[in-house]
Amino acid sequence: MFSLQTIFGKGDKFYNLLEQSAAAAHESARALHGLVTQADHTPVMAEFAAARAREKALAAQISEELVNTFVTALDREDIEALNSALYKIPKTVEKFAERYEIVAQRLTGVDFAQRAMVLERSSAVVVEMIGELRRGLRIDPVKKLQDRLQTLESEGDRMLLAPYRTLYVEGNDAMRAMLAKDLFELLEKAIDKCRDVGNIVYSIVLKNS
């Protein structure tokens, strides 16, 4: 496997496709942060649509290339796993955006921005981790990035305590609390999807070290 990576390394089309897929996931996360912080949602929703369409096209292209390519720099099952995991990030983000658009007026004052920022930062780490694949599968930098993802996930979990306390203990609107909970859980799920990508990248590095 190492010899194949040496031969095909930077020229392997799958590195480019996976990097583009990670970038599209990051763009969708960045758009989500804009959605919960900007008053005008129209341009932001256009960003979601563009990022989602790009991610779908890239996922289909990666699957097609796997069928048509005899030799790959990474194991086929690893490319498939990364392709699937990356695809799920903007898919989950899109679910949040669609639901948020419907109930945003009901949730005025609920702070999604901090949690959305954690997602944006997590997706940025994903971009870095995918970029590491073509740099020789080095354990140390990938491990540091993986640790950053774990720290961000823990930070996001801590951020939920205050809004949950406000919504459930101090609030008296059960429907508002349930709507907010649904959206917070989608944000958490999107962050988890970033972690899943990180876990796959780290396992690839360990396997090939």
Side-chain angles (χ1 to χ4, degrees):
M1 171 55 68
F2 178 78
S3 62
L4 287 178
Q5 289 170 342
T6 302
I7 294 171
F8 296 101
K10 294 183 178 180
D12 193 291
K13 55 195 163 189
F14 289 107
Y15 290 141
N16 291 329
L17 291 170
L18 289 169
E19 286 166 359
Q20 290 176 56
S21 184
H26 179 52
E27 288 169 16
S28 69
R30 187 168 57 226
L32 187 150
H33 186 257
L35 179 67
V36 300
T37 56
Q38 298 176 18
D40 185 1
H41 294 170
T42 302
V44 181
M45 294 305 292
E47 289 182 50
F48 278 115
R52 186 78 172 101
R54 188 158 51 252
E55 187 70 36
K56 285 182 178 179
L58 286 165
Q61 187 177 354
I62 291 171
S63 296
E64 182 179 351
E65 293 289 354
L66 280 172
V67 173
N68 297 329
T69 303
F70 180 68
V71 178
T72 60
L74 300 173
D75 288 345
R76 290 174 183 274
E77 60 267 26
D78 292 332
I79 297 174
E80 290 173 347
L82 283 173
N83 188 30
S84 176
L86 286 166
Y87 179 82
K88 291 175 182 177
I89 297 172
K91 182 178 180 180
T92 305
V93 169
E94 185 181 41
K95 286 182 180 179
F96 176 97
E98 291 172 344
R99 297 181 191 182
Y100 182 80
E101 271 288 273
I102 297 172
V103 302
Q105 291 185 340
R106 185 74 182 268
L107 297 177
T108 301
V110 179
D111 182 16
F112 295 102
Q114 286 187 322
R115 186 79 167 168
M117 179 58 73
V118 171
L119 172 59
E120 184 177 347
R121 290 163 60 193
S122 297
S123 66
V125 176
V126 165
V127 171
E128 291 186 62
M129 294 190 79
I130 294 296
E132 279 294 327
L133 291 174
R134 70 160 77 237
R135 299 188 184 104
L137 302 177
R138 303 172 298 171
I139 292 181
D140 288 345
V142 170
K143 180 62 168 64
K144 289 178 181 178
L145 291 169
Q146 178 73 343
D147 290 343
R148 280 172 57 189
L149 274 181
Q150 298 289 350
T151 299
L152 285 167
E153 184 181 20
S154 298
E155 181 181 343
D157 289 342
R158 288 194 299 272
M159 285 180 180
L160 279 180
L161 295 178
Y164 274 179
R165 183 180 300 111
T166 302
L167 288 164
Y168 288 101
V169 179
E170 302 171 10
N172 56 6
D173 188 336
M175 180 57 69
R176 174 180 162 90
M178 291 301 297
L179 292 173
K181 180 176 181 292
D182 177 60
L183 290 173
F184 275 125
E185 287 179 348
L186 279 173
L187 279 174
E188 182 178 6
K189 186 176 180 180
I191 295 171
D192 288 345
K193 298 305 179 185
C194 293
R195 181 204 58 201
D196 291 344
V197 174
N199 289 340
I200 295 170
V201 173
Y202 188 51
S203 68
I204 291 172
V205 172
L206 288 178
K207 182 171 66 174
N208 292 279
S209 62

PDB file of all heavy atoms in Angstrom, residues 22 62 74 153:
ATOM      1  N   ALA A  22     -14.779  17.713   1.187  1.00  0.00           N
ATOM      2  CA  ALA A  22     -14.602  18.289   2.522  1.00  0.00           C
ATOM      3  C   ALA A  22     -14.822  19.798   2.487  1.00  0.00           C
ATOM      4  O   ALA A  22     -15.425  20.372   3.402  1.00  0.00           O
ATOM      5  CB  ALA A  22     -13.198  17.970   3.043  1.00  0.00           C
ATOM      6  N   ILE A  62     -17.176  10.326  -7.102  1.00  0.00           N
ATOM      7  CA  ILE A  62     -16.258   9.430  -6.391  1.00  0.00           C
ATOM      8  C   ILE A  62     -16.705   7.983  -6.558  1.00  0.00           C
ATOM      9  O   ILE A  62     -15.887   7.093  -6.824  1.00  0.00           O
ATOM     10  CB  ILE A  62     -16.173   9.810  -4.902  1.00  0.00           C
ATOM     11  CG1 ILE A  62     -15.458  11.154  -4.738  1.00  0.00           C
ATOM     12  CG2 ILE A  62     -15.439   8.726  -4.109  1.00  0.00           C
ATOM     13  CD1 ILE A  62     -15.514  11.716  -3.330  1.00  0.00           C
ATOM     14  N   LEU A  74      -5.558   4.893  -1.984  1.00  0.00           N
ATOM     15  CA  LEU A  74      -6.106   4.399  -0.722  1.00  0.00           C
ATOM     16  C   LEU A  74      -6.963   3.172  -1.005  1.00  0.00           C
ATOM     17  O   LEU A  74      -7.429   2.971  -2.122  1.00  0.00           O
ATOM     18  CB  LEU A  74      -6.969   5.481  -0.056  1.00  0.00           C
ATOM     19  CG  LEU A  74      -6.281   6.797   0.311  1.00  0.00           C
ATOM     20  CD1 LEU A  74      -7.319   7.800   0.787  1.00  0.00           C
ATOM     21  CD2 LEU A  74      -5.213   6.586   1.365  1.00  0.00           C
ATOM     22  N   GLU A 153     -15.966  18.876  20.071  1.00  0.00           N
ATOM     23  CA  GLU A 153     -17.193  18.152  20.396  1.00  0.00           C
ATOM     24  C   GLU A 153     -17.557  18.342  21.861  1.00  0.00           C
ATOM     25  O   GLU A 153     -18.722  18.583  22.208  1.00  0.00           O
ATOM     26  CB  GLU A 153     -17.037  16.673  20.077  1.00  0.00           C
ATOM     27  CG  GLU A 153     -18.308  15.871  20.300  1.00  0.00           C
ATOM     28  CD  GLU A 153     -18.130  14.389  20.009  1.00  0.00           C
ATOM     29  OE1 GLU A 153     -16.983  13.913  19.994  1.00  0.00           O
ATOM     30  OE2 GLU A 153     -19.142  13.703  19.807  1.00  0.00           O
TER      31      GLU A 153
END
